[in-house]
Amino acid sequence: MFHFGADYYPEHWPESRWPTDARLMQEAGFTVVRLAEFAWTKIEPSPGKYHFAWLDRAIDLLAAHGISVLLGTPTASPPAWLMNQDETLFRVQRDGRRHSYGNRRGYCPNHPDYHAHSRRIVTVLAEHYAGNENVIGWQIDNEFGDPCYCEICRRAFHEFLKEKYQTLDELNTRWGTDFWSHIYTDWAQIPLPMEVISASDPSLELDFKRFASQSYVRFQQLQIDILREKSPGKPITHNFMEFSYDQINYFDLARSLDFVALDSYPRGFWSPKLAPNPAHIALDLDAARGLKQKNFWMMEQQSGPSGAHYVGETPRPGEIRLWAYQSIAHGADAILFFRWRTCRFGVEQYWHGILDHAGLPNRRYEEVKRMGSELKLLAEIAGSKPQAQTAILVSPDSRFAFHIQPNNAAFNYKQHVRDIYAPLHRRHVTVDILSESADFSAYRLLFAPALYVLPQALAEKLKQFVAQGGTLVLTPRSGVKDEHNLVVDAPLPGLLTELVGAVVEEYDSPAPDMQNHLEFSLPGLTAQPSALGWRDILRPATARVIACYGRDYYAGKPAIVLNQYGQGQVLYIGTFSDETLYEALTDWLLTLSNVSPVLPVSSSIEVTQRGDFYFLLNHSAQTETVQLPRKMFNLLTTQPVETLALAAHEVAILKSV
Ligand code: GLA
Ligand code: ZN
């Protein structure tokens, strides 16, 4: 069975309204709501005085309507009475400014007193609800956030470095502090990489990013330990942000959770008014599934216009349901819409939910309700998993390092992964997003984009993957750095040179107006995509040339090479380029690596597979006709089908007959 519901804030409404909410939720087919992730002061209005009665009543009322509850630990938004005790509880930004009360996520994640207060509130919550069967799980905090640059964090950073390097000699060597003779003779001398320093050491910066990430992982663990002890048997999650968020190593953050939850806002008010890109949403979803290689929950599925000072466009008819099915199509086993009802006050006054401020059933409610009744026909799908032959390896360390040194102003790691992903998505190819610790052996085609920070063990693992018959695709700036963010003492791509069968003879980091393009030497490939963002000029040893540059002093020199290695092959692409390059290469690559689409359907709709089930999603505003390769069974109409006319924003869910 799928979980279905919304993020609900009963504390924002008179209690006399709650029964109406519960009834409307039940009528919409809700099975679960998330509660209380920002309700610390409502639960503890003054130090040590706990008020659970209101929350107990809300939970009981929901239970009476067949709706379970996932509770948030409220540490993302602490009480004013607590934070005003001591200004050092507030986080310091990179520019040196300290947060003050009035927002959320403003706490220092390493502050011992904040830890103590968090332990206390999580303990009382866990003890109070451990025996409540209607509380089915926990969400820790809310969208863990950004680094803190305070004195407490500086000292904690020193401890992190001591544990990692043991001696200052070791740290000085690994960081290369001979440069500008930044040699440290006492741990306490090591600074934080703040903006007051014009540019800081890339090795120090990378370790600080790892430290800042670990700070949240540990703060989360502190809460997990309490919940596991005091409230055993209730699964624990955290709500992660989309693929664009890269301040935390999300693989680390996911490790000791029971499952991952994602927040998704395809029509965010902050983006230019472009139609949501189905491939970008799909990548966010696959990335969420990839964090634990496991199905996930959609904890905040957009259900209304988003907004703060400005109001974003409203989801078009059908879009809310379409996005929710897209989440399921990529492995969500629960859909919770953000939020049940638009709040009349506060920072998110214009961040709309299903119901508008007035709280009456509306177009969006009817759409959600329709989905609620449909899910009853789809129960057998829950728990099934997408199976991929293709994967993209994502390196959080490389992302951190590119933050520090983007190399070329036109380069953006997230966009690079999107450029690779979108043509696969268009071809209905299932993609897994992997960390470097994943097992690669199940895949035929593996992309390892911009593997900038490359540990020896990963290089060996990639060699093994190829030697055993895999097809690996590498892109520029791979193998450039060691784990300490030092440039390797070897021709590029460093540890990957033998595998690639070529070296980077020299590179050019072009200005935006320095146009160039690629010319392929593959039969039938006449496209000439631009060579943007970076240009490695390659000298093949064992590799064969696939494309050359079209212009400049390196016209005719190799830009893309293919090398046989063991039973497999490696494609090294020497330019970042854009989606047009991957659009040109993807059919050839799929044939080369023997990867097939989930269904051979030639249409612009999205097609995915989970277990024995196929999802066909029409993201366009027009009807799309789809010819299926064989007769199938349509679970929503309960009819067999071979040709489908899928209306704008419509969905079909099929299984084989
Ligand atoms: C995030 C948060 C929510 C809410 C929404 C909308 O995803 O988790 O609490 O703030 O954004 O802004
Ligand atoms: Zn701090």
Side-chain angles (χ1 to χ4, degrees), residues 1-4 29-32 66 68 136 297 328 332-335 375-384 610:
M1 199 192 78
F2 288 103
H3 296 282
F4 190 64
F30 279 18
T31 62
V32 67
S68 307
I136 60 164
W297 280 35
I328 292 179
D333 278 340
I335 301 290
L375 284 180
K376 299 191 173 84
L377 300 169
L378 305 175
E380 59 183 318
I381 301 177
S384 61
R610 265 184 75 154

Side-chain angles (χ1 to χ4, degrees), residues 130-177:
N132 188 326
E133 280 185 359
N134 211 47
V135 174
I136 60 164
W138 296 99
Q139 172 188 300
I140 294 185
D141 203 283
N142 191 84
E143 295 186 339
F144 277 126
D146 303 329
C148 176
Y149 297 81
C150 78
E151 262 309 299
I152 289 169
C153 286
R154 196 165 84 97
R155 288 198 295 274
F157 181 45
H158 296 158
E159 292 308 313
F160 168 92
L161 295 173
K162 270 187 219 169
E163 201 178 307
K164 178 164 182 177
Y165 294 106
Q166 307 286 322
T167 67
L168 277 170
D169 273 356
E170 178 70 6
L171 176 140
N172 283 317
T173 309
R174 294 298 175 194
W175 284 8
T177 53

Side-chain angles (χ1 to χ4, degrees), residues 88-92 98 107-111 147-154 156 192 211:
T88 69
L89 290 164
F90 287 104
R91 186 159 67 83
V92 172
R98 198 182 278 283
Y107 61 84
C108 164
N110 286 304
H111 201 297
C148 176
Y149 297 81
C150 78
E151 262 309 299
I152 289 169
C153 286
R154 196 165 84 97
L192 294 184
F211 158 77

Side-chain angles (χ1 to χ4, degrees), residues 433-451:
I433 306 294
L434 303 181
S435 77
E436 51 195 71
S437 62
D439 177 7
F440 304 157
S441 65
Y443 301 93
R444 295 181 181 174
L445 175 58
L446 176 64
F447 292 83
L451 216 47

Side-chain angles (χ1 to χ4, degrees), residues 9 34 37-38 104 139 142-143 239 241 263-265 270 300 307 338-339 348 351:
Y9 303 90
R34 181 187 65 183
E37 83 280 11
F38 298 118
R104 59 178 176 182
Q139 172 188 300
N142 191 84
E143 295 186 339
N239 56 333
M241 288 180 265
D263 298 344
S264 170
Y265 295 92
W270 51 78
E300 298 183 13
F338 187 88
R339 52 183 32 228
E348 297 191 346
W351 202 285

